[in-house]
Amino acid sequence: MPKIGAPAKPRSTWTKLPGTFCRELEAALPGEVSFDPATRGIYATDASHYQQTPACVITPRDEAECIAAVRMAGKYKVPITARGGGTSLSGQTFGPGVVIDCSRHMDRVLEINPDQRWARVQPGVIRDRLNDQLTPMGLHFAPDPATGNRATLGGMIGNNSSGTRSIVYGKTIDHVLSCRIALADGTVLDCRPYDRAGWDAVAEGPGREAGLYRGIAELIDGHHEAIRERYPKVMRRVSGYNLDEFVDGAGYEGPIGPRPESRPGYTSRPWNLSNLIIGSEGTLGVLLEATVRLTPLPAATAMCILHFHDVLDALRAVTRINRFDPSAVELLDRHVCREARRNRATRDMSGFIQGDPGGLLIVEFFGDSTAEANDRVAAFANAMHHGGVGYAHPIRCSHKGQAAVWETRKLGLGLISNARGPVKGQAFVEDACVPVEVLADYIEQLRSFCRALGVATSMYAHASVGVIHFRPAIDLHRPEHRELMQQIAEYAFDLSQRYGGVFAGEHGDGMVRGQFIPRAFGPELYNAFRRLKRLFDPDGLMNPGKIVDSPSMNDPAYLRYGQDYRLAEVSASFRYRAHRLPESDDAEGFRLAVEQCNGVGACRNVGSGTMCPSYMAMRDEEASTRGRANALRLAMTGQLGEHDLASHRIQEVLSLCLSCKACKTECPNAVDMAKLKADVTQMHYDKYGTPLGARLIAAMPTLARWGCGPQAALINALQNLAPYRRLVQQIVGLDARRPLPRLARRSFMRWYRSRPRQQRTTEPDAVLLVDTWMNCFEPGIGAAAVELLEGIGVRLAVQDAGDLLRPMLSMGMTRRAKREAAQLFARLDSIADPEVPLICLEPSDASALVDDLPDLLDDEALAGRIASRVTPVEGYLASALESERFRAGEIRTRDNLSNLILHGHCHQKALFGTNSIRTIADRIPGVVLNEIDAGCCGMAGSFGYEHYDLSVQIAEERLLPAVKQAVSEGKTIVACGSSCRQQLRDLLGVEAKHLVEVLRPVT
């Protein structure tokens, strides 16, 4: 565990960067090169527990810029590491010199030929985004890693990725036809298949390419027998270089027989230079382009989830299950299943888990029709039941039901690493592949070894092909646990070798397994690997230290949490109870909350979900949740030099976070960047003072109460004047292009107090909390809520709650919010009976009361009492309609609205979900409600005023097109968030409705 004290020294980097190189690079790639310490630090890690700071980061805009960068680095002998999504669990995607990030700009699908079933793509194309284009053609790029929504094709090629259905589709190497690469000297090669005669013809020519082809032929011919004998005969080998692709009978021939271009016979089998690039982890060249094979989509799928009391029984059943020709067999152990039921990201999807299984197997089947898939899974489940295999056999045939199971499976890594405290399931023996017949024995012995060391374990993943992601739970901050890592790895390697397996079956060698390659392949083949590396890269510039000449997995120079890792003094406002152990302090809680990001990069998802809005719009690593978390981790441990947590540079990194809280749910590790941003912003204020603009925005509730009333007309008129808005922009920082919200001439509380006294109650069923926005800007929504709730028989009390502190939190004024929250919660605690719910109309207010403010309070009991009582109006209404006490059938829509489109507020989706709204709509005859997957609206309180252009860009990404389409079809937009409604009003002139404005009681 790190000690608080002197900050760590900045991690060593490659220090020989010539000044002329830097100047030439900046001139050739203006705006796409960064030498900034924070940017370099953000690119120093991936999803592994290693770290190496590059000398600079380049994001080339096209192939020409990428080649220019490679050629320049080669000229000055600067190391080069190409990077895709940076989701490596083994530590392949960082290096000491130039990191070239192709994911930001080089992400185009260049050509698709559906008839011949191939696509030509740039390396930054995201796998799932490619498949979105292919789906209407009935095709897909078949390898399907769990990171498919952010994994780039370049990264998949570099790592030879596979995925859930590799028993059918194999690995990436089975789907790449050709590729185009740049060597370290700038030479560009088009790598495609040749028969041996064609290969030799190329080798006879002059120049760099011919010499490379000659050298490879000599290498293969000279080591033919060793390649045939030493390569493991398991499907999922991604260790070393793919020399076995050039020798018939070596290695594994494919999941369902030879690939189309594979033929029997040593001399007649085509040789494809691409097969050496695939899985080479960027150590031979930089990928510029690839042509990939496309595969028909399965017509239908169905699945059976087999439940076992013991995980070893599940693994012993895999060989029998594989005889039924499934398309996937995936394991989840007891730890993952239990966490799936607790975790916000998965608990609503985990209904398929029955009892408390020690392990379950997700078994999927393809079919040429829905009927065939359903018949296959039914026959399978029946055979398992009558054969006594498993204790439960639920079937899922619907798309929705299967999607819930697969999404839970994809989040397996996050479910394992979400344990409170610093002890986490770590990735260092998670990638071994052994024959399925001995899989249970391998896991049993490895688990027993860990237990003897006092190390807990968890596991999940690809049982069908003998790859179980086995995770020992250790704390890598502790030197004795780092020694345990080495000890367990040594045992697991030896065990996998005895069972005829391979140590890298999916995630590759990288930093974590490179040291084992010489022992795995023997001295002859390891020397062949080194010779191959020199043929491609004579100066050793391409991603050095990977595959050959790798450091020890425990080398302290590369460990993210090494021996010099130290936490600087941190003055945290939040308690971070969800992350820290009870005996640790708030500073430790802050550290653990930052380190909760393990780099898996789910925040880089584009085109679905909500996280991360600014990244989706900008495609900039710094704008991702992972980028921000990395910057915070480096700053809090002194690795950015003068850029500590309170620095202007860290504020710049955090400034484009919308505090949407989507990461709290959609991130598999539940990183709450909104909370961290608020805390770090307070640290910045402590050092430099609180800006006037932040103070005024935080004071908005007080100013609004002063302005609401008869004087509102004058204030609203003044706000419309261009000079006034320019003045506000200059003083407060609110963009003059954004209309300011209009104050109400009559507050909600004034309206409510004017109602007849007999409608008040002293024994309420619920209390409606009146926040500033409802009271002063949209009193009609409050009135609609009162009419609706009272109309179905709810005895409703109304409480003017005043400032619920969301503006103060969003401005990062956490110290003041902490003081005022104690007073606010004390007031709320005295309202009505302790069991009476407190209803919020605004989702961000509800999230403040349920999530943020309780974690500021020292009085945990008081915080818990209030948080347990607070409910969004839709949650209370859905429960009320299911209660016999209220008139469930007496609710309709206003103006006979029947076709509704729901846009969920970010905090609403993150903390409460939108199921309650769908439940309500389902109870109203004739009403159809559809929810659009449009992400964040981009407004986020004051964010849309302070960052107008980005706010518009976020909205235009998905929300605005969806709303335009819905409005053109005559549909009504439902949005419970005031920011969402304001964004649609400002940008489209669309008046979205709060849910309570759409519903009415039947009178």
Side-chain angles (χ1 to χ4, degrees):
M1 191 170 297
K3 298 177 181 178
I4 296 178
K9 297 178 181 179
R11 293 292 178 96
S12 60
T13 186
W14 199 73
T15 57
K16 301 177 182 179
L17 208 58
T20 51
F21 168 71
C22 299
R23 290 190 292 273
E24 287 183 29
L25 199 60
E26 288 183 308
L29 290 84
E32 302 301 330
V33 182
S34 178
F35 302 97
D36 165 64
T39 302
R40 293 189 293 115
I42 285 169
Y43 279 88
T45 55
D46 48 23
S48 71
H49 48 258
Y50 295 97
Q51 175 176 319
Q52 189 174 28
T53 304
C56 73
V57 175
I58 302 173
T59 54
R61 288 168 290 196
D62 53 34
E63 180 179 292
E65 287 193 348
C66 188
I67 294 171
V70 171
R71 184 175 290 120
M72 211 171 300
K75 172 184 173 182
Y76 286 96
K77 301 297 185 285
V78 177
I80 305 162
T81 299
R83 178 178 171 115
T87 59
S88 164
L89 289 165
S90 304
Q92 295 104 319
T93 62
F94 45 76
V98 170
V99 167
I100 300 177
D101 180 0
C102 295
S103 68
R104 187 174 187 187
H105 301 302
M106 295 180 64
D107 62 347
R108 294 172 52 216
V109 177
L110 301 171
E111 187 179 2
I112 296 175
N113 189 318
D115 296 326
Q116 297 181 20
R117 294 181 182 171
W118 56 260
R120 192 164 58 88
V121 301
Q122 291 184 315
V125 169
I126 296 172
R127 185 262 184 191
D128 285 4
R129 299 278 278 182
L130 169 63
N131 282 348
D132 287 343
Q133 296 186 44
L134 296 173
T135 297
M137 307 173 195
L139 300 170
H140 68 151
F141 180 71
D144 57 344
T147 56
N149 63 2
R150 66 264 194 198
T152 64
L153 267 290
M156 293 181 67
I157 288 170
N159 194 56
N160 198 7
S161 301
S162 46
T164 299
R165 298 175 180 86
S166 63
I167 193 171
V168 174
Y169 294 129
K171 300 173 293 188
T172 295
I173 198 169
D174 300 300
H175 301 270
V176 175
L177 300 174
S178 64
C179 64
R180 180 176 169 89
I181 65 169
L183 301 180
D185 61 0
T187 300
V188 175
L189 298 180
D190 288 305
C191 309
R192 54 184 180 269
Y194 291 99
D195 60 21
R196 186 60 192 266
W199 183 282
D200 291 341
V202 175
E204 290 175 359
R208 181 85 167 85
E209 182 178 22
L212 186 63
Y213 275 63
R214 283 195 302 273
I216 292 170
E218 293 171 2
L219 188 148
I220 297 297
D221 291 340
H223 301 284
H224 175 253
E225 289 305 318
I227 295 169
R228 185 191 296 273
E229 292 173 5
R230 288 300 301 258
Y231 270 73
K233 305 301 188 290
V234 290
M235 179 194 299
R236 296 284 289 269
R237 179 202 60 78
V238 294
S239 185
Y241 292 118
N242 295 321
L243 300 181
D244 56 330
E245 290 293 323
F246 297 77
V247 176
D248 184 59
Y252 190 87
E253 285 294 327
I256 50 176
R259 293 191 299 279
E261 72 271 20
S262 298
R263 294 118 315 268
Y266 168 53
T267 56
S268 63
R269 181 180 183 181
W271 287 9
N272 190 340
L273 198 62
S274 298
N275 290 338
L276 290 175
I277 303 305
I278 299 164
S280 66
E281 301 184 1
T283 60
L284 304 181
V286 172
L287 184 71
L288 303 171
E289 179 185 303
T291 300
V292 297
R293 176 180 291 110
L294 307 179
T295 304
L297 284 164
T301 61
M303 66 169 58
C304 176
I305 304 99
L306 297 181
H307 291 60
F308 298 84
H309 294 296
D310 186 87
V311 69
L312 295 177
D313 290 339
L315 295 177
R316 291 188 181 101
V318 173
T319 301
R320 180 175 180 179
I321 291 169
N322 280 351
R323 297 191 191 111
F324 287 80
D325 295 325
S327 52
V329 184
E330 294 289 297
L331 173 78
L332 301 179
D333 78 346
R334 174 171 279 121
H335 177 87
V336 177
C337 291
R338 287 177 174 175
E339 183 61 29
R341 286 171 156 165
R342 291 191 293 262
N343 192 283
R344 277 195 175 101
T346 53
R347 62 190 178 196
D348 292 336
M349 300 184 292
S350 60
F352 62 90
I353 301 174
Q354 299 183 13
D356 184 26
L360 58 79
L361 294 173
I362 304 166
V363 185
E364 181 193 69
F365 293 92
F366 288 167
D368 292 333
S369 66
T370 299
E372 181 184 343
N374 293 354
D375 287 346
R376 288 191 68 194
V377 77
F380 170 77
N382 185 61
M384 295 296 103
H385 173 72
H386 288 289
V389 181
Y391 70 81
H393 316 82
I395 289 173
R396 294 292 183 270
C397 296
S398 71
H399 173 76
K400 182 178 179 181
Q402 293 181 70
V405 177
W406 283 131
E407 189 62 24
T408 303
R409 156 61 189 91
K410 286 180 179 181
L411 295 175
L413 170 57
L415 296 175
I416 281 177
S417 57
N418 271 341
R420 181 179 294 191
V423 176
K424 309 282 188 184
Q426 300 292 348
F428 59 94
V429 296
E430 88 296 350
D431 206 32
C433 175
V434 299
V436 173
E437 295 76 14
V438 297
L439 179 59
D441 296 335
Y442 167 80
I443 293 296
E444 182 178 25
Q445 292 180 58
L446 183 55
R447 188 173 67 170
S448 296
F449 182 79
C450 290
R451 283 178 173 172
L453 295 174
V455 175
T457 62
S458 52
M459 64 192 87
Y460 68 102
H462 317 298
S464 60
V465 289
V467 179
I468 297 298
H469 296 332
F470 184 93
R471 292 270 186 145
I474 57 178
D475 177 6
L476 289 175
H477 301 91
R478 299 165 60 180
E480 66 272 24
H481 279 214
R482 295 195 291 271
E483 290 303 316
L484 280 176
M485 176 173 71
Q486 181 78 49
Q487 189 176 354
I488 294 169
E490 293 283 352
Y491 179 85
F493 171 76
D494 290 340
L495 190 62
S496 67
Q497 297 298 292
R498 289 204 303 271
Y499 279 117
V502 65
F503 210 33
E506 177 177 37
H507 298 154
D509 296 312
M511 303 288 288
V512 74
R513 279 175 282 274
Q515 75 174 72
F516 295 99
I517 294 177
R519 291 157 58 186
F521 289 91
E524 179 181 344
L525 286 183
Y526 186 66
N527 286 330
F529 291 166
R530 299 180 80 174
R531 182 179 168 192
L532 180 73
K533 167 73 170 172
R534 287 195 298 271
L535 284 170
F536 278 89
D537 181 23
D539 296 313
L541 301 179
M542 289 291 180
N543 208 13
K546 317 303 191 302
I547 298 184
V548 298
D549 302 320
S550 301
S552 164
M553 67 178 296
N554 228 357
D555 190 325
Y558 300 103
L559 287 171
R560 188 189 295 196
Y561 307 121
Q563 61 189 16
D564 294 328
Y565 191 77
R566 295 288 186 273
L567 182 66
E569 293 292 340
V570 173
S571 178
S573 298
F574 288 100
R575 305 301 306 274
Y576 298 100
R577 294 185 178 97
H579 299 289
R580 66 182 177 90
L581 298 173
E583 62 271 16
S584 59
D585 59 17
D586 295 350
E588 178 79 350
F590 177 88
R591 176 185 72 81
L592 290 169
V594 171
E595 292 175 1
Q596 192 67 13
C597 175
N598 61 8
V600 74
C603 47
R604 289 173 55 96
N605 174 34
V606 175
S608 64
T610 302
M611 176 185 68
C612 172
S614 50
Y615 176 79
M616 287 188 188
M618 301 173 67
R619 314 294 166 87
D620 184 351
E621 176 72 15
E622 184 172 310
S624 69
T625 304
R626 179 177 72 178
R628 296 179 185 115
N630 274 329
L632 292 180
R633 178 178 51 79
L634 294 168
M636 76 181 183
T637 52
Q639 296 182 65
L640 295 182
E642 63 184 15
H643 301 308
D644 61 9
L645 285 172
S647 69
H648 295 294
R649 182 66 181 97
I650 295 302
Q651 276 303 292
E652 184 180 24
V653 172
L654 296 176
S655 65
L656 299 185
C657 170
L658 283 79
S659 299
C660 69
K661 282 193 172 291
C663 49
K664 188 177 178 69
T665 297
E666 294 183 23
C667 170
N669 294 91
V671 175
D672 191 345
M673 187 52 62
K675 185 178 291 185
L676 291 167
K677 176 187 177 182
D679 224 347
V680 174
T681 300
Q682 179 66 71
M683 298 175 200
H684 180 75
Y685 295 161
D686 290 343
K687 186 173 183 178
Y688 296 103
T690 305
L692 176 60
R695 293 178 185 272
L696 290 174
I697 292 172
M700 184 273 293
T702 301
L703 298 175
R705 286 177 180 270
W706 173 84
C708 179
Q711 64 274 25
L714 177 61
I715 295 173
N716 291 336
L718 180 64
Q719 289 182 161
N720 281 330
L721 299 177
Y724 178 85
R725 282 159 69 168
R726 286 196 295 269
L727 180 64
V728 170
Q729 177 170 319
Q730 183 177 357
I731 296 175
V732 187
L734 305 185
D735 198 296
R737 291 171 290 177
R738 176 78 69 177
L740 293 167
R742 297 179 62 82
L743 289 156
R745 299 187 65 177
R746 187 188 192 195
S747 70
F748 169 80
M749 288 308 302
R750 179 171 292 185
W751 169 84
Y752 183 75
R753 292 185 182 112
S754 69
R755 302 177 80 220
R757 299 293 298 177
Q758 60 267 25
Q759 297 191 32
R760 311 298 171 82
T761 178
T762 56
E763 296 182 357
D765 298 309
V767 176
L768 179 65
L769 297 181
V770 180
D771 63 88
T772 302
W773 192 268
M774 181 222 300
N775 192 35
C776 301
F777 293 99
E778 294 183 314
I781 293 177
V786 170
E787 178 186 346
L788 176 62
L789 292 167
E790 289 185 346
I792 63 169
V794 176
R795 295 176 300 175
L796 187 69
V798 170
Q799 178 68 39
D800 186 357
D803 184 5
L804 296 180
L805 305 179
R806 174 52 68 190
M808 199 174 293
L809 287 170
S810 69
M811 286 295 100
M813 298 172 64
T814 56
R815 193 158 294 113
R816 180 177 164 190
K818 184 169 187 170
R819 293 194 303 268
E820 298 198 14
Q823 300 171 19
L824 170 65
F825 274 48
R827 291 199 307 271
L828 296 178
D829 201 34
S830 66
I831 298 174
D833 186 273
E835 302 300 319
V836 172
L838 306 175
I839 298 175
C840 287
L841 294 183
E842 172 58 41
S844 62
D845 285 336
S847 71
L849 294 171
V850 168
D851 186 61
D852 294 309
L853 297 175
D855 202 37
L856 280 174
L857 294 183
D858 296 327
D859 188 340
E860 189 172 358
L862 172 62
R865 286 199 301 274
I866 299 304
S868 66
R869 294 176 63 187
V870 172
T871 178
V873 66
E874 66 272 13
Y876 180 79
L877 188 58
S879 298
L881 294 179
E882 294 174 358
S883 171
E884 295 181 359
R885 295 177 54 202
F886 304 110
R887 298 190 287 274
E890 299 186 11
I891 185 171
R892 295 291 183 269
T893 55
R894 295 178 185 269
D895 304 319
N896 297 316
L897 299 174
S898 60
N899 207 330
L900 308 178
I901 295 292
L902 171 65
H903 170 65
H905 184 280
C906 292
H907 290 202
Q908 182 181 39
K909 291 182 287 189
L911 272 77
F912 310 106
T914 55
N915 285 336
S916 295
I917 297 178
R918 292 194 291 269
T919 298
I920 295 166
D922 288 345
R923 298 181 71 94
I924 306 174
V927 169
V928 176
L929 181 141
N930 291 302
E931 184 173 3
I932 51 176
D933 179 19
C936 177
C937 73
M939 188 63 183
S942 64
F943 183 91
Y945 288 94
E946 298 168 293
H947 306 280
Y948 179 81
D949 291 322
L950 179 57
S951 172
V952 173
Q953 189 178 350
I954 291 169
E956 288 177 339
E957 184 84 9
R958 284 148 66 206
L959 176 62
L960 299 191
V963 170
K964 288 177 184 177
Q965 177 68 26
V967 171
S968 70
E969 296 170 355
K971 299 175 182 177
T972 299
I973 311 301
V974 177
C976 293
S978 57
S979 289
C980 309
R981 296 191 299 274
Q982 185 179 354
Q983 182 79 309
L984 294 177
R985 185 184 305 116
D986 290 350
L987 302 185
L988 293 182
V990 170
E991 291 294 335
K993 303 292 185 183
H994 193 290
L995 177 68
V996 297
E997 294 180 289
V998 173
L999 305 177
R1000 65 176 178 85
V1002 177
T1003 56

